Amino acid sequence: MGLLDKEFSDDNIVISKVDDLLNWARLSSLWQMSFGLACCAIEMMATSASHYDFDRFGVIPRPSPRQADIIIISGTVTLKMATRIKRLYEQMADPKYIISMGSCSNCGGPYWEHGYHVLKGVDRVIPVDVYVPGCPPRPEALLEGLLTLQEKIRNESLVKKSV
Amino acid sequence: MKSTEEIFALLKEKFGDAVLELNTKLPKEAVIEVTPLKVTDICWFLRDNEELQFDNLILLTGLDDDNGEIVKLEDGTTETKGGTLSVVYHLESMKLGHKIVLRTTTGRENPEVETVSKVWACADWHEREAYDMFGIIFLNHPDLRRILMPYDWEAGYPLRKDYKNPEFYHGMKVPY
Amino acid sequence: MLKTEQMVLNMGPQHPSTHGVLRLELELEGEIIVNVKPHLGYLHRCFEKHCEAMTYPQIIPYVDRLDYLASMNNEMGYAIAVERLLDIKVPERVEYIRVIMAELQRIASHMVAVGTYGIDIGAFTPFLYLFRDRERILTLFEKTCGARLLYNYIWVGGLSHDLPINFVNETRDFLNDFKKTVIEVNNLLSYNKIFIERTANVGVLNVESAINYGITGPNLRASGLKWDIRRNDPYSIYDRFDFEIPVGEGLHGQVGDCWDRYYLRVQEMIQSIRIVEQALDQLPEGEITSALPKRIKPVEGQLYSRVENPKGELGYFIVSKGQLQPFRVKVRPPSFINLSVLGELCKGHLIADVIAILGSIDIVLGEVDR
Ligand code: SF4
C-alpha cells in the first residue's frame, strides 16, 4: 500500500500525510452492508464466498447500516423499494460510498421500457460512486468496481480543492 | 378420472343456469364457463364432491379480454370503454388425477366475482394479485388489498391493456 | 394470569435472513408469534407486462430472471410450454442436454438453499463448501453458453449452443467429487445436534393444509406426499430415467418439520446426480435445433403447461391470439404460493423460529414478486 511495505530496523516512526493515512485506513476496511436485491445479489454472494473471497479486500458484510461504510445496490430497484433504500442510505454513517451493481440499478436494465414499477437507475434517489455494468456483472467485475472505489478514496483530500 | 365433458354434465345438472357452456373451440384446453356470482358454490361442490375431489387450485389468473370499445381522448391517448375481464381457474384433483379449467367473465366497469379463498387457502393471494393487476373485486374476500404494487398506488391497474403509467411517484420520475 | 401487550415488529425489507427484500410484520405476544403478515412487491419487475410486448423468443431472457437461482429450469419450462402450443417436437439430443442442464441447475439451486439455510441457523462453513462446488457447476454452464447465472440457453425448439468439448468428462468429474461434498455437508450440518435442535419439530406442515395452500415441490414432499411433476405429469424424457422421489419421514421429529424440508433437498441432490449420470451415459449425437418457422406465431388458443422446478411446480399459462406476441402469459410462481403458508406455520413459535421456518421454505424473491 506504499505506506507499510518498508521494513523498519529500529525506531518505529512513519511519516505520512494525514490525508494518506486516513484514506489508507478507509479504503482498506470498507465494511459492506449485506443487502441483496435481485439476481445480482447472488453474484455478490458468490463474490463473498469461497472462490472470489471479498474478505481479502477488507470487505466484511455487516447487517446494520449504522456499521457499514459501503452499500452495494445489487439488483433492480423498484419504486416501492426506492424510498427504503434512501432511508437506509441516510442511516449510514459518513463517510459512505455506493457501488451500483448491474444494469438494473445503473439504468433500469432489461426493464427500462415496460417496467412500470421499476426505478430507472438508483442514481435518481441516491448519489452513486462507482457503476459496475453487466447483467449480472461477473464477480471479477464487482472486484474491479471495488478497486476503482478504493482508487477514488485514495485520491480524496481533506483540503478543499482550489478551482 | 373424469373427462371435462362428464364434469360439465355433472355441474350443469347441479347448478343449471349458473353454468353457462362448455367451450371446446380453442385448441389444447376446454373451458367451462360459469357465472361470476355463483363461483363459490360451484367450487365448494367441485372440491367436496366424492367423484370430483378437486383439492388443488393450481392457478388463478386474471385476464383483460380487450374487447371493449376504444375511445380516443383529447390528449391523443386512448382508453377502453366497456368490454369484459375474466378470471380463469385451473383445478386439479391430486387424488383422482383429473383437471379442468373454469372461466368466469365479468364487466369491466364494475368487475365483481365471488371469492374462492375459503375453498382453497392459496386463492387468497392469487385473488389479491388479480385485484392488484386488473382491479377485479372479489366479493367476501377477507383482506382485499394490493399485494405487489405499493398500497398507495393510484394510477390504476397495470395489466389492463389501456393502462397508462404516471410520470411521477412520490417525486421520483418513473419513465426512462 | 399475566397478560402482555401485543407488539408489532417489522422485519425487513432489509434484513439478512429474509433472503431478499421481503418485509414481515410480526405480531408478538412477548416472544410468541401471534400472526405474521408478509408484505411483498419490493421486487415487482412487471414480468407479465413485458411478455405482452415481446415476441415469444424474446421472453426467454425475462424468464431467466424469475427464479434466478434456477434459470435453466425456468427456460426449460417456458420452451416446453411454447413447443406444446406450437405442436413441435425437439430432437433427442436436445432433450437430453435439457435434462442434464436442468438437473445440474437443480443441484446448484439446492446448494444455495442448503448453504444459506446453514447461515440462517448459524453455521457458516457448509455455505463456503457448497459455494466452492457451485462455482464448478457455473463454470460448466459458462463453458457451454457463456453466462454464469442467466443463460438464455434453452430456446424454443432447441438450444443456443451445442455442448463444449469434454463437457461429459468434466461433468462426471464434478459429480464424483460432489458426492463426497454431500457426505461432508451431512456430517457438518444435517446430523449436527445443534442444527437438529433448532429445526426438528419446528414449523410442522401437515399434508392436508399443504395441499389446501397449494404447496408444491420439496415442501410438499417433505410433508409426506409423493408428488413430483417429473413422475405425475411427465414432460421431456423424464420417464426414461430411474430415480427415486424422496419424501419426508420425520427422522428427528414430526413429518413435515423444518429439518425434513431441509434434508429433502439434500436427498434430491443425490437423485439429481443419478439422473445426470444416466443422461450422460445415454446422450445421443444429433442436431441441436428443430425446424422452426422463421416467426413463431402459435394459433389462437390457450394452454397451461408445468414443470418441476427446484422450488416447486412452475407453470406457464399462455393465451395466444395468433399474434407474434402472446396475449397474456401468467406464471404459476412456486415460491409465491409456498410463501403464503408462512403465517400458518409460524403461529405459536418463537421469533427465532421465524428465520428457521422462512429459510426452510426456500423462497426466491424474484419469483415471489416477479
Ligand atoms: S442487472 Fe440483470 S442480473 Fe442484475 S438485477 Fe438486473 S436483471 Fe438481474
Side-chain angles (χ1 to χ4, degrees), chain A residues 37-41 43 74-76 101-105 108-111 134-137, chain C residues 43 45 65 68 149-150:
Chain A
L37 275 171
C39 353
C40 282
E43 284 298 68
S74 53
T76 319
M101 178 187 183
S103 321
C104 276
S105 59
Y111 304 98
C135 181
Chain C
L43 193 55
R45 300 194 278 193
R65 284 156 181 76
Y68 35 77
L149 195 65
L150 308 167

Side-chain angles (χ1 to χ4, degrees), chain B residues 2 7 15 18-19 22-23 30 35 41 43 48 50 61 94 97 115 123 130 137-138 145-146 148 154 171 173 176:
Chain B
K2 281 194 180 310
I7 294 168
F15 290 99
V19 181
L22 175 67
N23 185 348
T35 52
D41 287 345
C43 286
D48 290 341
E50 274 301 303
T61 316
M94 282 180 156
T115 176
I137 312 255
F138 289 91
R145 285 174 300 151
R146 287 192 180 265
L148 295 179
E154 275 159 6
K173 188 165 165 250
Y176 183 71

Side-chain angles (χ1 to χ4, degrees), chain A residues 68-83:
Chain A
D69 305 306
I70 161 179
I71 174 169
I72 300 178
I73 308 288
S74 53
T76 319
V77 183
T78 59
L79 295 176
K80 204 171 178 177
M81 195 66 206
T83 43

Side-chain angles (χ1 to χ4, degrees), chain A residues 93-127:
Chain A
D94 271 324
K96 47 193 171 187
Y97 304 97
I98 296 180
I99 294 182
S100 157
M101 178 187 183
S103 321
C104 276
S105 59
N106 292 348
C107 64
Y111 304 98
W112 70 275
E113 194 179 2
H114 304 287
Y116 51 82
H117 186 233
V118 175
L119 188 72
K120 319 300 186 302
V122 73
D123 46 9
R124 290 186 182 183
V125 285
I126 49 174

